[in-house]
Amino acid sequence: MLYNQTGLYEEALYYSTLAQQQSSNDRDACAAKQLMIESYYRLQHAENMDEIYSTAVASCQQAGAPVFESLVHYFYIRYLLDIEELQGAARMVDEHYQAAQQLSYEPLRVFYQALKAQVYLLMDDFASAEEAALIVTANPDNHQYFETHVIASKTLYQVYEQKGDFKSALHYHKLLHQSKLQYRDLQSERIRGFYESKAVMEAKTQQIELLNMENSLLYLQQQVLSKEAQNARLLLGLFVLMLLALGFLAYQGLIGRHRFKFMAENDELTGISNRYHFNKLAEKSLLHCKKQGMTVGVILFDLDHFKQINDKFGHATGDWVLQQVVQSCRNFMRLDDIFGRLGGEEFAIVLPGCHADKALMLAEICRDSIEDIDTKRCGHEFLLTASFGVTSSDTSGYELKQLLADADKAMYRAKQGGRNQVHFFTGTPAVKSQPQFGD
């Protein structure tokens, strides 16, 4: 459960599988399988979902654990939505919604309410989607469940956009952005707390080991004055100490190697992947998506008139601009998106499992976010914009070189069109994307 909450889903899957194998009663098996299906969903292991879902439901029904059973249904319904099995998802929501609302577990009731809103939206029942989502967002107590608040805010944003109520759409788009930031901060806080606790435990263990070593040395020093047999023990203790010192040196060498590896793979200024590491990660991701039949989106963008910023305000200001652009864009990316600096002021993003319309939306959001950067914080005031080119594997295939080349063509069209624009590569002369209100 701890690993699931901190986003370490591979570790969570390992321990939940181990717990399920070692469970001594039905309730323990049910809880373990509920955590397993959550890990499978987060990891997008679609090939195992149907089997683990059936066994998890059976275990929880046999154990008489309705809360765990409802959580199992919840993650399976979200899986069905991801694979666009709308009819099956709608049927399951209707079947299990009332049971979840009758439970005393408040988070679960909120989860299903947000899920209901999402299902209605995907089935184009905008009135029902609006009603269900408003129940989530209207209750201040529900704001602590950031993930469900993200779903509800996104639903309302899309509903009001479809209805032409752009003022309300903008309001909920802002709430969506705020909820995403809060959810990301919560995840970061959990991960930071986890590793801080782990570091404290390791430090205490090392302190105990050091004290033990000091006690051993004192003991050996006292005994060396007594008799010849005790001298042998002293030599053994010194030998152990030498091994520990060698181990410490080896550990320091390992840490140094990891540090140099990080420096070799990441851009020193912005902290994201450099061109070499970006290409390596992107090619690996493209190969996986090609085998799985998943669409990949690619965004290429370049800061407008960046050389003038360097020339007029100095390279320190230019460096600040690059850092702010990266920080601003990373707020809107998923954990498995690949973000790299290709050189100078040019950046690229590879989006596994992302269709062209979603890639265009992300590009528009990033473009808008860059334009909103307050440059007065660096001591100078100037307009900061970027031009974006977007393509996808549906249009350009799965070869990284071709994807980047096509995205570059679209970006060139954005530059020609007046900059501060997003263009999509269609295989013919690029066509400017229609901006989504609020993006």
Side-chain angles (χ1 to χ4, degrees):
M1 184 182 299
L2 176 62
Y3 280 128
N4 269 336
Q5 290 178 348
T6 53
L8 302 173
Y9 303 119
E10 292 285 358
E11 291 84 351
L13 181 58
Y14 169 78
Y15 282 107
S16 57
T17 303
L18 193 63
Q20 186 268 330
Q21 293 171 350
Q22 298 180 355
S23 58
S24 58
N25 56 64
D26 293 333
R27 187 173 183 81
D28 290 344
C30 164
K33 288 179 179 178
Q34 184 270 307
L35 294 171
M36 286 173 64
I37 199 169
E38 181 178 353
S39 300
Y40 275 121
Y41 169 74
R42 301 292 188 188
L43 290 167
Q44 298 184 341
H45 286 182
E47 66 276 11
N48 298 314
M49 286 296 290
D50 292 333
E51 178 182 356
I52 189 62
Y53 168 73
S54 300
T55 59
V57 170
S59 294
C60 293
Q61 289 177 346
Q62 188 172 353
V67 172
F68 286 128
E69 182 183 351
S70 292
L71 285 170
V72 170
H73 293 312
Y74 170 76
F75 284 107
Y76 189 71
I77 293 171
R78 291 192 64 178
Y79 158 72
L80 292 179
L81 290 176
D82 287 351
I83 63 174
E84 300 182 349
E85 287 285 344
L86 301 185
Q87 296 299 326
R91 177 182 55 78
M92 288 190 66
V93 168
D94 290 339
E95 182 179 351
H96 301 292
Y97 174 80
Q98 289 299 332
Q101 297 304 308
Q102 294 172 3
L103 294 173
S104 60
Y105 189 47
E106 179 62 22
L108 195 57
R109 294 202 293 266
V110 180
F111 292 167
Y112 270 82
Q113 190 66 41
L115 199 60
K116 188 177 182 181
Q118 187 178 13
V119 170
Y120 280 136
L121 175 68
L122 293 174
M123 297 185 70
D124 295 332
D125 186 351
F126 300 121
S128 299
E130 179 184 4
E131 179 182 358
L134 283 172
I135 294 175
V136 177
T137 58
N139 188 351
D141 294 336
N142 293 342
H143 293 192
Q144 60 182 304
Y145 312 119
F146 295 120
E147 189 172 19
T148 57
H149 209 260
V150 166
I151 296 173
S153 299
K154 184 177 182 180
T155 299
L156 289 170
Y157 155 63
Q158 293 176 331
V159 165
Y160 288 125
E161 187 180 48
Q162 288 291 333
K163 291 170 66 176
D165 185 353
F166 298 120
K167 183 177 180 180
S168 297
L170 177 60
H171 170 71
Y172 283 102
H173 184 272
K174 291 179 178 178
L175 284 182
L176 171 63
H177 178 58
Q178 180 182 358
S179 298
K180 284 182 177 180
L181 291 178
Q182 291 174 327
Y183 182 63
R184 184 202 63 188
D185 291 342
L186 175 63
Q187 287 292 87
S188 299
E189 188 65 26
R190 286 174 174 173
I191 293 173
R192 183 167 59 251
F194 171 78
Y195 282 109
E196 285 177 354
S197 299
K198 186 176 181 181
V200 169
M201 291 177 63
E202 291 176 349
K204 289 183 177 179
T205 301
Q206 291 176 355
Q207 289 175 354
I208 293 172
E209 290 176 352
L210 286 173
L211 289 173
N212 289 336
M213 289 172 58
E214 291 175 358
N215 290 335
S216 296
L217 286 173
L218 289 173
Y219 174 76
L220 291 172
Q221 289 172 355
Q222 292 171 358
Q223 295 299 314
V224 75
L225 301 175
S226 60
K227 48 187 175 180
E228 187 175 353
Q230 294 172 336
N231 288 337
R233 294 182 183 178
L234 177 60
L235 292 174
L236 179 61
L238 292 174
F239 177 72
V240 171
L241 182 61
M242 182 181 67
L243 289 179
L244 289 173
L246 290 174
F248 176 78
L249 291 174
Y251 172 77
Q252 290 292 96
L254 182 62
I255 294 297
R257 187 176 67 179
H258 283 299
R259 185 182 298 112
F260 287 127
K261 183 175 183 293
F262 179 85
M263 293 172 61
E265 293 178 346
N266 293 273
D267 178 52
E268 182 179 2
L269 178 63
T270 61
I272 61 176
S273 296
N274 57 28
R275 189 183 192 103
Y276 166 77
H277 194 225
F278 171 83
N279 288 342
K280 183 178 179 181
L281 293 178
E283 288 175 353
K284 182 178 179 181
S285 180
L286 286 167
L287 180 60
H288 172 74
C289 291
K290 183 177 182 181
K291 290 180 179 178
Q292 298 296 322
M294 296 167 58
T295 302
V296 181
V298 172
I299 299 173
L300 189 69
F301 68 95
D302 182 274
L303 301 185
D304 298 329
H305 304 299
F306 183 72
K307 185 177 184 300
Q308 295 179 13
I309 295 174
N310 271 335
D311 293 343
K312 186 174 181 180
F313 304 109
H315 288 280
T317 300
D319 290 347
W320 180 89
V321 166
L322 294 173
Q323 291 170 340
Q324 294 301 309
V325 166
V326 168
Q327 181 179 347
S328 178
C329 292
R330 289 182 79 171
N331 290 334
F332 307 103
M333 296 182 195
R334 304 166 300 174
L335 292 177
D336 57 345
D337 292 340
I338 303 167
F339 191 16
R341 180 185 179 192
L342 302 187
E345 69 275 19
E346 188 176 42
F347 299 88
I349 310 170
V350 172
L351 307 164
C354 183
H355 292 282
D357 57 340
K358 302 297 183 184
L360 274 169
M361 181 179 294
L362 177 61
E364 285 286 0
I365 291 172
C366 290
R367 182 199 61 77
D368 189 57
S369 178
I370 292 171
E371 191 176 15
D372 287 342
I373 292 174
D374 183 8
T375 59
K376 289 186 289 186
R377 290 181 295 156
C378 72
H380 305 284
E381 186 174 359
F382 52 89
L383 179 64
L384 180 59
T385 62
S387 300
F388 287 74
V390 182
T391 188
S392 75
S393 57
D394 293 335
T395 303
S396 303
Y398 287 91
E399 293 296 325
L400 178 61
K401 183 177 180 181
Q402 188 62 47
L403 285 161
L404 291 176
D406 291 347
D408 185 66
K409 294 175 184 175
M411 185 181 73
Y412 180 73
R413 293 286 291 165
K415 293 281 189 182
Q416 285 186 321
R419 307 179 189 273
N420 193 23
Q421 298 177 9
V422 176
H423 277 266
F424 182 76
F425 178 81
T426 60
T428 59
V431 179
K432 182 181 177 183
S433 69
Q434 296 298 320
Q436 300 293 323
F437 186 83
D439 287 347

